[in-house]
Amino acid sequence: MQKDFVRKHGGPAPRYTSYPTAPHFHAGIDGETYARWLRGLKSGQTLSLYIHIPWCDRLCWFCGCNTKQTLRYDPLKTYLSALENEMETISGLVDPKCRVTALHLGGGSPTMLRPEDMVALNQMLRSRFSFDANAEISVEMDPNDLTAEKYDALAEIGMTRASIGVQDFDEKVQKAINREQTFEQTRDVVEQVRARGVRSVNCDVLYGLPHQTRQSVDQTIKQVLSLAPDRIALFGYAHVPWMKTHQKMIDEAALPDLTERFAQMNRAASTLTSSGYTAIGIDHFALPGDSLAIAAASGSMRRNFQGYTSDTADALIGMGASSIGQLPQGYVQNQPSTGEYQRQVNLGQLPVVRGFELSEEDRIRARIIELLMCDFAFSFATIRHEFGGAAESILDEAEYLATSDTDGMVEFSGGLFQITPKGQPFVRSVASAFDGYFGTGVARHSLAV
């Protein structure tokens, strides 16, 4: 019976790091639109900056990021020069009194950058944007890239959170995904960043990979726990070879089926919560004193293209090839081709190729979906307070969904729409019921568990 339930509700669904989701972005949003939106940011509003470094020195076959492999450094030097030009254009459009409260370096592998280039990139940003003294600086780290000089450079730029990709420590699994990385390497990274004053460490772990079992995932989780990270992200592997062709290198016959994935997730979550970590949303766990756990408890946690976050900035500005920005008016995405991206920014252009301008209905549905993804619930009073009468027809949908549910997924009482504990692992499927675009177009999605 449980298998039937998982199969019914665990099928493909968006991850809802935005609404509408990226497959619905369109070419009607361009650089001129983005420039107008940037000029619309008001003095004193807060900014979160995301810098995309789209290269790795090896290509992990499980990866769903926009990245490519290079063993030469020249492309990165050229790219950094182009990034500076994009920063120059954007900073010229943004009110200088807007304050940066967060910076995230992602990829790809930002730790491929040479130490002097990490420092130079930081200086480029700070010379063009006004950073808060306590701005959070987070960096995605590949243990295979790191040296003592790079650790020192990361400390110099003020890194406050290190995000370390673990995936799995089992050698058979690592070979199957082309990601060989020992426990000892990972432990060294944690020790080195903490020795340099970094107070927050995140580790990413995957389930649903080839050759994984619930026992092997649990073993990896226990090894990660021995490092005492402040946060652990437990992601389900998204097998999307129609989008990421390198995933065709993975033997699909070795992938666990839907019910085994669900069992792996449950066992890992049980181990984490019994070890003192707070379960947050669908895939994060944090120690009670971590800022994400505090945000979740206070109801201020948000969800954006980096997943769950305590970042409440008014606008997310993405820079670099393929990066996505989120502004009050809507979303923009940069040109994914590094060559074309560099050509456009070197001409002083904003390299936006697509995006989405939000309607009032989109904003209402986006808010409801975000609350469901973050809190597994939303109050009708909250939605009415934020949107007034424009929300009534969507609230009617919610009440109908709750009263017609025969699987015990959701409930409605006292003006509160809530996903039950039984339904919480399938929150992406519940959220899709509020998605006015789901099932339209040609978008395909990964499994919901």
Short mmCIF file of all heavy atoms in Angstrom, two decimals, residues 167-221:
data_model
loop_
_atom_site.label_atom_id
_atom_site.label_comp_id
_atom_site.label_asym_id
_atom_site.label_seq_id
_atom_site.Cartn_x
_atom_site.Cartn_y
_atom_site.Cartn_z
N GLN A 167 28.21 14.25 -1.63
CA GLN A 167 27.43 13.31 -2.44
C GLN A 167 27.38 11.94 -1.78
O GLN A 167 26.38 11.54 -1.27
CB GLN A 167 27.97 13.22 -3.88
CG GLN A 167 28.49 14.49 -4.53
CD GLN A 167 27.72 15.76 -4.25
OE1 GLN A 167 26.54 15.74 -3.93
NE2 GLN A 167 28.39 16.89 -4.37
N ASP A 168 28.48 11.18 -1.79
CA ASP A 168 28.50 9.84 -1.19
C ASP A 168 29.95 9.43 -1.00
O ASP A 168 30.79 9.74 -1.84
CB ASP A 168 27.78 8.84 -2.10
CG ASP A 168 27.52 7.50 -1.41
OD1 ASP A 168 28.49 6.74 -1.21
OD2 ASP A 168 26.36 7.22 -1.08
N PHE A 169 30.25 8.73 0.09
CA PHE A 169 31.62 8.29 0.35
C PHE A 169 31.91 6.87 -0.13
O PHE A 169 33.03 6.39 -0.05
CB PHE A 169 31.95 8.40 1.84
CG PHE A 169 32.18 9.81 2.30
CD1 PHE A 169 31.47 10.31 3.39
CD2 PHE A 169 33.09 10.63 1.67
CE1 PHE A 169 31.69 11.62 3.83
CE2 PHE A 169 33.31 11.94 2.09
CZ PHE A 169 32.61 12.43 3.18
N ASP A 170 30.88 6.17 -0.61
CA ASP A 170 31.07 4.80 -1.07
C ASP A 170 31.85 4.81 -2.39
O ASP A 170 31.46 5.48 -3.34
CB ASP A 170 29.71 4.13 -1.26
CG ASP A 170 29.83 2.67 -1.64
OD1 ASP A 170 30.01 2.40 -2.84
OD2 ASP A 170 29.74 1.81 -0.75
N GLU A 171 32.94 4.06 -2.47
CA GLU A 171 33.81 4.10 -3.65
C GLU A 171 33.09 3.63 -4.92
O GLU A 171 33.31 4.19 -6.00
CB GLU A 171 35.06 3.24 -3.41
CG GLU A 171 36.02 3.83 -2.40
CD GLU A 171 37.29 3.01 -2.27
OE1 GLU A 171 37.50 2.09 -3.09
OE2 GLU A 171 38.07 3.28 -1.34
N LYS A 172 32.24 2.63 -4.79
CA LYS A 172 31.52 2.12 -5.96
C LYS A 172 30.59 3.20 -6.52
O LYS A 172 30.51 3.41 -7.73
CB LYS A 172 30.73 0.88 -5.60
CG LYS A 172 30.05 0.21 -6.80
CD LYS A 172 29.35 -1.08 -6.38
CE LYS A 172 28.73 -1.79 -7.59
NZ LYS A 172 28.04 -3.05 -7.18
N VAL A 173 29.91 3.90 -5.63
CA VAL A 173 29.02 4.98 -6.06
C VAL A 173 29.83 6.11 -6.67
O VAL A 173 29.48 6.66 -7.72
CB VAL A 173 28.18 5.49 -4.87
CG1 VAL A 173 27.34 6.70 -5.29
CG2 VAL A 173 27.28 4.38 -4.33
N GLN A 174 30.94 6.47 -6.04
CA GLN A 174 31.78 7.55 -6.55
C GLN A 174 32.27 7.26 -7.96
O GLN A 174 32.27 8.15 -8.83
CB GLN A 174 32.96 7.78 -5.61
CG GLN A 174 32.57 8.41 -4.28
CD GLN A 174 33.77 8.73 -3.41
OE1 GLN A 174 34.91 8.39 -3.74
NE2 GLN A 174 33.54 9.39 -2.29
N LYS A 175 32.69 6.05 -8.21
CA LYS A 175 33.16 5.71 -9.56
C LYS A 175 32.03 5.77 -10.57
O LYS A 175 32.23 6.17 -11.72
CB LYS A 175 33.79 4.31 -9.54
CG LYS A 175 35.15 4.27 -8.83
CD LYS A 175 35.73 2.88 -8.80
CE LYS A 175 37.08 2.87 -8.08
NZ LYS A 175 37.65 1.50 -7.98
N ALA A 176 30.83 5.40 -10.14
CA ALA A 176 29.69 5.39 -11.04
C ALA A 176 29.24 6.80 -11.43
O ALA A 176 28.58 6.99 -12.46
CB ALA A 176 28.51 4.65 -10.41
N ILE A 177 29.62 7.82 -10.62
CA ILE A 177 29.22 9.20 -10.92
C ILE A 177 30.43 10.08 -11.25
O ILE A 177 30.30 11.29 -11.42
CB ILE A 177 28.43 9.83 -9.75
CG1 ILE A 177 29.27 9.88 -8.46
CG2 ILE A 177 27.12 9.07 -9.53
CD1 ILE A 177 28.61 10.61 -7.31
N ASN A 178 31.61 9.45 -11.35
CA ASN A 178 32.85 10.17 -11.69
C ASN A 178 33.15 11.28 -10.67
O ASN A 178 33.53 12.39 -11.02
CB ASN A 178 32.78 10.77 -13.10
CG ASN A 178 34.16 11.12 -13.64
OD1 ASN A 178 35.13 10.40 -13.40
ND2 ASN A 178 34.27 12.21 -14.37
N ARG A 179 33.00 10.94 -9.40
CA ARG A 179 33.26 11.92 -8.33
C ARG A 179 34.00 11.20 -7.20
O ARG A 179 33.41 10.77 -6.23
CB ARG A 179 31.97 12.52 -7.82
CG ARG A 179 32.09 13.43 -6.59
CD ARG A 179 32.77 14.73 -6.88
NE ARG A 179 32.84 15.59 -5.71
CZ ARG A 179 32.48 16.87 -5.68
NH1 ARG A 179 32.04 17.45 -6.78
NH2 ARG A 179 32.58 17.57 -4.57
N GLU A 180 35.30 11.02 -7.36
CA GLU A 180 36.09 10.32 -6.35
C GLU A 180 36.65 11.35 -5.37
O GLU A 180 37.36 12.27 -5.75
CB GLU A 180 37.19 9.50 -7.02
CG GLU A 180 36.61 8.39 -7.90
CD GLU A 180 37.66 7.44 -8.46
OE1 GLU A 180 38.64 7.16 -7.74
OE2 GLU A 180 37.52 7.02 -9.61
N GLN A 181 36.31 11.14 -4.12
CA GLN A 181 36.66 12.10 -3.06
C GLN A 181 36.62 11.37 -1.73
O GLN A 181 35.58 10.87 -1.32
CB GLN A 181 35.64 13.25 -3.08
CG GLN A 181 35.74 14.24 -1.94
CD GLN A 181 34.63 15.26 -2.04
OE1 GLN A 181 34.30 15.75 -3.11
NE2 GLN A 181 34.01 15.58 -0.91
N THR A 182 37.72 11.30 -1.04
CA THR A 182 37.79 10.53 0.18
C THR A 182 37.19 11.28 1.36
O THR A 182 37.09 12.51 1.36
CB THR A 182 39.24 10.16 0.53
OG1 THR A 182 39.96 11.36 0.86
CG2 THR A 182 39.92 9.46 -0.64
N PHE A 183 36.84 10.52 2.38
CA PHE A 183 36.37 11.12 3.62
C PHE A 183 37.46 12.00 4.21
O PHE A 183 37.19 13.09 4.73
CB PHE A 183 35.97 10.03 4.61
CG PHE A 183 35.72 10.55 6.00
CD1 PHE A 183 34.54 11.21 6.30
CD2 PHE A 183 36.67 10.39 7.00
CE1 PHE A 183 34.31 11.71 7.58
CE2 PHE A 183 36.45 10.89 8.28
CZ PHE A 183 35.27 11.54 8.58
N GLU A 184 38.70 11.55 4.12
CA GLU A 184 39.81 12.30 4.70
C GLU A 184 39.98 13.66 4.03
O GLU A 184 40.26 14.67 4.69
CB GLU A 184 41.11 11.49 4.60
CG GLU A 184 41.17 10.27 5.52
CD GLU A 184 40.28 9.11 5.05
OE1 GLU A 184 39.93 9.07 3.84
OE2 GLU A 184 39.93 8.26 5.90
N GLN A 185 39.80 13.71 2.69
CA GLN A 185 39.86 14.99 1.99
C GLN A 185 38.80 15.95 2.52
O GLN A 185 39.06 17.13 2.76
CB GLN A 185 39.61 14.79 0.49
CG GLN A 185 40.79 14.30 -0.31
CD GLN A 185 40.38 14.11 -1.76
OE1 GLN A 185 39.61 13.20 -2.08
NE2 GLN A 185 40.88 14.96 -2.64
N THR A 186 37.59 15.43 2.68
CA THR A 186 36.48 16.25 3.14
C THR A 186 36.73 16.73 4.57
O THR A 186 36.49 17.90 4.90
CB THR A 186 35.17 15.46 3.06
OG1 THR A 186 35.03 14.92 1.74
CG2 THR A 186 33.98 16.34 3.37
N ARG A 187 37.19 15.84 5.41
CA ARG A 187 37.49 16.21 6.80
C ARG A 187 38.53 17.32 6.86
O ARG A 187 38.42 18.26 7.64
CB ARG A 187 37.99 14.99 7.57
CG ARG A 187 38.30 15.25 9.05
CD ARG A 187 38.88 14.01 9.70
NE ARG A 187 40.12 13.62 9.04
CZ ARG A 187 40.67 12.41 9.14
NH1 ARG A 187 40.08 11.46 9.86
NH2 ARG A 187 41.79 12.15 8.51
N ASP A 188 39.53 17.25 5.96
CA ASP A 188 40.58 18.26 5.93
C ASP A 188 40.01 19.63 5.57
O ASP A 188 40.41 20.65 6.15
CB ASP A 188 41.67 17.87 4.93
CG ASP A 188 42.84 18.83 4.96
OD1 ASP A 188 43.47 18.96 6.03
OD2 ASP A 188 43.13 19.45 3.92
N VAL A 189 39.06 19.66 4.63
CA VAL A 189 38.45 20.93 4.25
C VAL A 189 37.74 21.55 5.45
O VAL A 189 37.89 22.75 5.74
CB VAL A 189 37.45 20.75 3.08
CG1 VAL A 189 36.74 22.06 2.78
CG2 VAL A 189 38.16 20.24 1.85
N VAL A 190 36.95 20.74 6.15
CA VAL A 190 36.22 21.25 7.32
C VAL A 190 37.19 21.79 8.35
O VAL A 190 37.00 22.89 8.91
CB VAL A 190 35.34 20.14 7.92
CG1 VAL A 190 34.68 20.61 9.22
CG2 VAL A 190 34.27 19.70 6.92
N GLU A 191 38.27 21.06 8.61
CA GLU A 191 39.25 21.51 9.61
C GLU A 191 39.94 22.79 9.17
O GLU A 191 40.15 23.71 9.98
CB GLU A 191 40.27 20.41 9.86
CG GLU A 191 39.69 19.19 10.58
CD GLU A 191 40.68 18.04 10.69
OE1 GLU A 191 41.77 18.14 10.07
OE2 GLU A 191 40.37 17.06 11.39
N GLN A 192 40.27 22.88 7.88
CA GLN A 192 41.00 24.05 7.39
C GLN A 192 40.15 25.32 7.41
O GLN A 192 40.63 26.39 7.79
CB GLN A 192 41.51 23.79 5.97
CG GLN A 192 42.60 22.73 5.86
CD GLN A 192 43.90 23.17 6.49
OE1 GLN A 192 44.17 24.36 6.62
NE2 GLN A 192 44.71 22.22 6.90
N VAL A 193 38.88 25.21 7.01
CA VAL A 193 38.05 26.42 7.00
C VAL A 193 37.71 26.85 8.43
O VAL A 193 37.66 28.06 8.72
CB VAL A 193 36.77 26.25 6.14
CG1 VAL A 193 37.13 26.00 4.69
CG2 VAL A 193 35.85 25.18 6.68
N ARG A 194 37.51 25.89 9.30
CA ARG A 194 37.22 26.26 10.69
C ARG A 194 38.45 26.88 11.36
O ARG A 194 38.32 27.80 12.18
CB ARG A 194 36.73 25.04 11.46
CG ARG A 194 35.27 24.70 11.14
CD ARG A 194 34.75 23.53 11.91
NE ARG A 194 33.29 23.41 11.75
CZ ARG A 194 32.61 22.30 11.90
NH1 ARG A 194 33.24 21.17 12.21
NH2 ARG A 194 31.31 22.29 11.74
N ALA A 195 39.62 26.39 11.00
CA ALA A 195 40.85 26.97 11.56
C ALA A 195 41.02 28.42 11.14
O ALA A 195 41.73 29.19 11.81
CB ALA A 195 42.06 26.15 11.11
N ARG A 196 40.38 28.80 10.04
CA ARG A 196 40.47 30.18 9.55
C ARG A 196 39.24 31.01 9.91
O ARG A 196 39.00 32.08 9.34
CB ARG A 196 40.69 30.17 8.03
CG ARG A 196 42.11 29.71 7.66
CD ARG A 196 42.20 29.34 6.20
NE ARG A 196 43.57 29.03 5.80
CZ ARG A 196 44.19 27.87 6.03
NH1 ARG A 196 43.53 26.89 6.67
NH2 ARG A 196 45.43 27.68 5.63
N GLY A 197 38.47 30.53 10.86
CA GLY A 197 37.40 31.34 11.43
C GLY A 197 36.03 31.19 10.81
O GLY A 197 35.10 31.90 11.20
N VAL A 198 35.87 30.28 9.84
CA VAL A 198 34.55 30.09 9.24
C VAL A 198 33.65 29.37 10.24
O VAL A 198 33.98 28.26 10.69
CB VAL A 198 34.64 29.29 7.92
CG1 VAL A 198 33.26 28.96 7.39
CG2 VAL A 198 35.43 30.10 6.89
N ARG A 199 32.54 29.97 10.57
CA ARG A 199 31.70 29.43 11.64
C ARG A 199 30.59 28.52 11.13
O ARG A 199 29.96 27.82 11.90
CB ARG A 199 31.07 30.58 12.44
CG ARG A 199 32.10 31.41 13.17
CD ARG A 199 31.43 32.49 14.03
NE ARG A 199 30.60 33.39 13.23
CZ ARG A 199 31.09 34.44 12.57
NH1 ARG A 199 32.36 34.70 12.61
NH2 ARG A 199 30.27 35.21 11.89
N SER A 200 30.31 28.57 9.83
CA SER A 200 29.20 27.78 9.30
C SER A 200 29.68 26.88 8.16
O SER A 200 30.25 27.37 7.19
CB SER A 200 28.08 28.70 8.80
OG SER A 200 26.98 27.95 8.32
N VAL A 201 29.45 25.59 8.31
CA VAL A 201 29.83 24.60 7.30
C VAL A 201 28.59 23.83 6.87
O VAL A 201 27.83 23.34 7.71
CB VAL A 201 30.89 23.63 7.83
CG1 VAL A 201 31.16 22.51 6.83
CG2 VAL A 201 32.19 24.38 8.15
N ASN A 202 28.39 23.74 5.56
CA ASN A 202 27.29 22.95 4.99
C ASN A 202 27.87 21.80 4.19
O ASN A 202 28.86 21.96 3.48
CB ASN A 202 26.43 23.82 4.07
CG ASN A 202 25.43 22.99 3.29
OD1 ASN A 202 24.40 22.61 3.81
ND2 ASN A 202 25.73 22.71 2.02
N CYS A 203 27.27 20.64 4.28
CA CYS A 203 27.65 19.49 3.46
C CYS A 203 26.45 19.04 2.63
O CYS A 203 25.34 18.91 3.16
CB CYS A 203 28.13 18.32 4.33
SG CYS A 203 29.72 18.60 5.13
N ASP A 204 26.69 18.81 1.33
CA ASP A 204 25.65 18.30 0.44
C ASP A 204 25.79 16.79 0.30
O ASP A 204 26.88 16.29 -0.01
CB ASP A 204 25.77 18.92 -0.95
CG ASP A 204 25.40 20.39 -0.99
OD1 ASP A 204 24.81 20.88 0.00
OD2 ASP A 204 25.71 21.06 -1.99
N VAL A 205 24.70 16.07 0.50
CA VAL A 205 24.66 14.62 0.35
C VAL A 205 23.53 14.28 -0.62
O VAL A 205 22.48 14.92 -0.60
CB VAL A 205 24.43 13.92 1.71
CG1 VAL A 205 24.39 12.40 1.53
CG2 VAL A 205 25.53 14.30 2.70
N LEU A 206 23.75 13.28 -1.46
CA LEU A 206 22.73 12.85 -2.41
C LEU A 206 22.24 11.44 -2.09
O LEU A 206 23.02 10.59 -1.65
CB LEU A 206 23.28 12.85 -3.83
CG LEU A 206 23.56 14.21 -4.50
CD1 LEU A 206 24.12 14.00 -5.90
CD2 LEU A 206 22.29 15.04 -4.58
N TYR A 207 20.96 11.20 -2.33
CA TYR A 207 20.43 9.84 -2.35
C TYR A 207 19.84 9.61 -3.74
O TYR A 207 19.65 10.55 -4.52
CB TYR A 207 19.38 9.62 -1.25
CG TYR A 207 18.13 10.46 -1.39
CD1 TYR A 207 17.04 10.02 -2.15
CD2 TYR A 207 18.03 11.70 -0.77
CE1 TYR A 207 15.90 10.79 -2.29
CE2 TYR A 207 16.89 12.48 -0.90
CZ TYR A 207 15.83 12.02 -1.65
OH TYR A 207 14.70 12.79 -1.79
N GLY A 208 19.59 8.36 -4.06
CA GLY A 208 19.04 8.04 -5.39
C GLY A 208 20.10 7.90 -6.46
O GLY A 208 19.78 7.82 -7.65
N LEU A 209 21.38 7.81 -6.06
CA LEU A 209 22.48 7.65 -7.02
C LEU A 209 22.64 6.18 -7.41
O LEU A 209 22.15 5.28 -6.70
CB LEU A 209 23.79 8.16 -6.40
CG LEU A 209 23.90 9.67 -6.20
CD1 LEU A 209 25.14 10.00 -5.38
CD2 LEU A 209 23.93 10.40 -7.55
N PRO A 210 23.34 5.90 -8.50
CA PRO A 210 23.56 4.49 -8.89
C PRO A 210 24.29 3.71 -7.80
O PRO A 210 25.24 4.22 -7.19
CB PRO A 210 24.41 4.61 -10.17
CG PRO A 210 24.99 5.98 -10.14
CD PRO A 210 23.99 6.83 -9.44
N HIS A 211 23.81 2.49 -7.55
CA HIS A 211 24.38 1.53 -6.61
C HIS A 211 24.15 1.91 -5.14
O HIS A 211 24.60 1.19 -4.25
CB HIS A 211 25.89 1.32 -6.85
CG HIS A 211 26.23 0.90 -8.24
ND1 HIS A 211 25.78 -0.28 -8.77
CD2 HIS A 211 26.94 1.52 -9.21
CE1 HIS A 211 26.23 -0.40 -10.03
NE2 HIS A 211 26.93 0.70 -10.32
N GLN A 212 23.46 3.01 -4.88
CA GLN A 212 23.18 3.34 -3.48
C GLN A 212 22.11 2.42 -2.91
O GLN A 212 21.19 1.99 -3.62
CB GLN A 212 22.71 4.79 -3.35
CG GLN A 212 23.83 5.81 -3.31
CD GLN A 212 23.30 7.21 -3.06
OE1 GLN A 212 22.24 7.59 -3.59
NE2 GLN A 212 24.02 8.00 -2.29
N THR A 213 22.24 2.13 -1.64
CA THR A 213 21.21 1.43 -0.87
C THR A 213 20.92 2.28 0.36
O THR A 213 21.68 3.21 0.68
CB THR A 213 21.69 0.05 -0.42
OG1 THR A 213 22.79 0.21 0.50
CG2 THR A 213 22.15 -0.79 -1.61
N ARG A 214 19.86 1.97 1.06
CA ARG A 214 19.59 2.76 2.27
C ARG A 214 20.70 2.59 3.30
O ARG A 214 21.01 3.51 4.04
CB ARG A 214 18.21 2.40 2.84
CG ARG A 214 18.04 0.97 3.30
CD ARG A 214 16.58 0.59 3.43
NE ARG A 214 15.99 0.32 2.12
CZ ARG A 214 14.75 -0.15 1.96
NH1 ARG A 214 13.97 -0.33 3.01
NH2 ARG A 214 14.29 -0.40 0.76
N GLN A 215 21.35 1.39 3.30
CA GLN A 215 22.45 1.16 4.24
C GLN A 215 23.67 2.00 3.86
O GLN A 215 24.33 2.59 4.73
CB GLN A 215 22.83 -0.32 4.26
CG GLN A 215 21.78 -1.24 4.86
CD GLN A 215 20.64 -1.58 3.89
OE1 GLN A 215 20.76 -1.35 2.67
NE2 GLN A 215 19.54 -2.10 4.43
N SER A 216 23.98 2.10 2.56
CA SER A 216 25.15 2.87 2.16
C SER A 216 24.94 4.36 2.35
O SER A 216 25.86 5.09 2.74
CB SER A 216 25.52 2.56 0.69
OG SER A 216 24.58 3.10 -0.21
N VAL A 217 23.72 4.83 2.09
CA VAL A 217 23.43 6.25 2.33
C VAL A 217 23.55 6.56 3.81
O VAL A 217 24.12 7.58 4.21
CB VAL A 217 22.02 6.61 1.81
CG1 VAL A 217 21.64 8.03 2.21
CG2 VAL A 217 21.96 6.47 0.29
N ASP A 218 23.03 5.67 4.64
CA ASP A 218 23.10 5.87 6.08
C ASP A 218 24.55 5.91 6.56
O ASP A 218 24.91 6.71 7.44
CB ASP A 218 22.34 4.75 6.80
CG ASP A 218 22.06 5.08 8.27
OD1 ASP A 218 21.52 6.16 8.53
OD2 ASP A 218 22.40 4.24 9.13
N GLN A 219 25.41 5.09 5.98
CA GLN A 219 26.82 5.09 6.36
C GLN A 219 27.47 6.43 6.00
O GLN A 219 28.24 6.99 6.79
CB GLN A 219 27.56 3.94 5.66
CG GLN A 219 29.06 3.89 5.92
CD GLN A 219 29.42 3.74 7.39
OE1 GLN A 219 28.66 3.18 8.17
NE2 GLN A 219 30.58 4.26 7.77
N THR A 220 27.17 6.95 4.81
CA THR A 220 27.70 8.26 4.43
C THR A 220 27.20 9.34 5.38
O THR A 220 27.97 10.21 5.82
CB THR A 220 27.29 8.61 2.98
OG1 THR A 220 28.03 7.78 2.08
CG2 THR A 220 27.58 10.06 2.65
N ILE A 221 25.92 9.30 5.73
CA ILE A 221 25.36 10.28 6.66
C ILE A 221 26.11 10.24 7.99
O ILE A 221 26.46 11.29 8.57
CB ILE A 221 23.85 10.04 6.88
CG1 ILE A 221 23.06 10.39 5.61
CG2 ILE A 221 23.34 10.84 8.07
CD1 ILE A 221 23.03 11.86 5.26
#
